[in-house]
Amino acid sequence: MLGKVNRFFAFLLAPALGFIVAFSQTNPVDKLSFEGLALPVEQPHEQVAMLQEKLDETKEQLAGTELALQQIREAAEQEKQEYEQQNKKLDTLLAASISQTKQSEDVLDTILSNMLGKPIGQHFGANSTVKVYSLTEAGYRGYMAKVRLKDPNALKMVLANNSVKSKGETTSKAGKRMNAVLAVNAGGFRTDNDGYLVPLGITVVDGKIRTFSNDQNLSFVGFNNKGHLVGTKITTQEQITQQGILQGASFLPRLLENGKRLPIPRQWANSRQPRTLIGHFDNGDLLVIVIDGRREGWSNGVTLEEAQKKLQEFHVVDAYNLDGGGSSAFYYNGKLLNKPSGGRERPVVSNLVILP
């Protein structure tokens, strides 16, 4: 019985024993193909090499960029330093200019005070500074104002009732209407066939050309967008725009040019009359003068030749004769100061006003 059992287990274990014997004789793994299991070693090496090359290029580019940025920073710093230096120079020049302007103003004030005494009226406004003097000479009297414009728009040429053709307007009325601190009569005029007053020559109001003429016998007195007196021969309307002229009127003759006297036309020579004169100093300040005349015991008037000499004594650079005679009027701080030759103010076509 035991023999049968042993034979049964022998048959049962025979296959397993055969597998073990066969496996011990030959390793089946040795017969597997390694070609399919081989890793692609060369390709990763190439990719790594390419990546390294690109990294090197990137490093070079970054180094170049950093160098460029450094150069930009250095240039910006240099530009900043130059800008600061320029600003310092400009500040120095501006301070010197202000100092020179102040000195110039002080010198002018000293000259005028020595010649005329202290101002009889002074106005220090946001837009203008006005100093008024009484002018008394042998044979004539009048008033004058030294004007400094802080804002060019503080000076206005005003047409009578804002119209080219009108019945006229007195200087006092125009001054009050405009709330002006100072007003004097301005351009010449004629009377048309209908009895209306019409300006002579060229009239400019707030940059608009209200009248225009090519009459070269007339002198144009204009003021540009910096508030400076501009007196040139105007032959085209384009010149007015090109020179930035905002205000202006016409009369004659011109008296001084660059501090030198100009010839007085024969028909105007050696005639003693009431006058309205305007000029400017070398620092740009304006001088406005009204001289009374034709009033015995008060003032006989002044000749243009005498006016030229007096203007030179005041160190005026350029000067012009505005409409005079019965038109001459000097309005300051709400009052008419002078004594018009006709006993009262004459309505005129235009007035020059200074706003406070």
Side-chain angles (χ1 to χ4, degrees), residues 149-302:
L149 297 175
K150 300 175 184 178
D151 182 350
N153 293 315
L155 182 149
K156 299 285 186 183
M157 190 65 63
V158 181
L159 283 171
N161 302 310
N162 296 324
S163 178
V164 172
K165 292 177 64 173
S166 70
K167 292 296 183 179
E169 182 179 30
T170 65
T171 302
S172 293
K173 186 176 180 181
K176 291 176 181 177
R177 177 167 65 88
M178 296 295 295
N179 294 317
V181 63
L182 175 70
V184 297
N185 64 295
F189 57 93
R190 62 180 178 83
T191 304
D192 68 8
N193 295 331
D194 298 322
Y196 288 98
L197 303 183
V198 181
L200 295 177
I202 303 169
T203 308
V204 181
V205 178
D206 295 332
K208 296 181 180 180
I209 302 172
R210 301 298 300 273
T211 64
F212 186 81
S213 170
N214 285 316
D215 188 348
Q216 295 302 299
N217 292 319
L218 297 172
S219 295
F220 176 69
V221 181
F223 301 89
N224 65 16
N225 49 20
K226 295 182 179 179
H228 295 161
L229 180 62
V230 178
T232 59
K233 290 292 184 182
I234 300 294
T235 57
T236 66
Q237 296 189 31
E238 287 73 18
Q239 285 179 273
I240 296 173
T241 303
Q242 290 169 358
Q243 296 186 40
I245 295 173
L246 298 181
Q247 319 291 338
S250 299
F251 202 57
L252 71 155
R254 188 173 187 176
L255 302 176
L256 298 181
E257 183 176 10
N258 296 323
K260 296 181 180 180
R261 301 178 213 170
L262 296 175
I264 303 300
R266 183 175 300 177
Q267 65 271 29
W268 293 81
N270 301 310
S271 176
R272 195 173 295 279
Q273 300 290 344
R275 305 288 184 187
T276 300
L277 314 170
I278 190 167
H280 71 96
F281 300 100
D282 58 2
N283 70 344
D285 287 356
L286 300 175
L287 182 67
V288 181
I289 302 176
V290 168
I291 296 174
D292 287 332
R294 303 175 189 167
R295 293 180 69 97
E296 192 67 32
W298 172 254
S299 180
N300 297 322
V302 66

Side-chain angles (χ1 to χ4, degrees), residues 35 53-54 59 73 78 133 151 170 177-178 196 204 240 245 250 253 266 284 291 311 315 321 331 335:
E35 294 179 2
E53 184 178 351
K54 289 183 178 180
K59 287 180 180 180
R73 283 194 289 266
Q78 183 177 356
Y133 298 84
D151 182 350
T170 65
R177 177 167 65 88
M178 296 295 295
Y196 288 98
V204 181
I240 296 173
I245 295 173
S250 299
R266 183 175 300 177
I291 296 174
L311 290 165
H315 294 262
N321 181 46
Y331 170 90
K335 297 179 181 179

Side-chain angles (χ1 to χ4, degrees), residues 288-337:
V288 181
I289 302 176
V290 168
I291 296 174
D292 287 332
R294 303 175 189 167
R295 293 180 69 97
E296 192 67 32
W298 172 254
S299 180
N300 297 322
V302 66
T303 68
L304 293 178
E305 290 83 358
E306 290 172 332
Q308 286 177 313
K309 293 178 183 178
K310 183 56 63 178
L311 290 165
Q312 285 181 319
E313 290 177 13
F314 291 148
H315 294 262
V316 171
V317 178
D318 297 298
Y320 300 82
N321 181 46
L322 295 174
D323 189 19
S327 300
S328 291
F330 190 100
Y331 170 90
Y332 172 71
N333 200 24
K335 297 179 181 179
L336 180 71
L337 298 189

Side-chain angles (χ1 to χ4, degrees), residues 115-116 135-142 291 298-299 310 313-314:
M115 296 178 66
L116 305 170
L135 180 62
T136 303
E137 298 287 337
Y140 64 88
R141 294 171 181 264
I291 296 174
W298 172 254
S299 180
K310 183 56 63 178
E313 290 177 13
F314 291 148

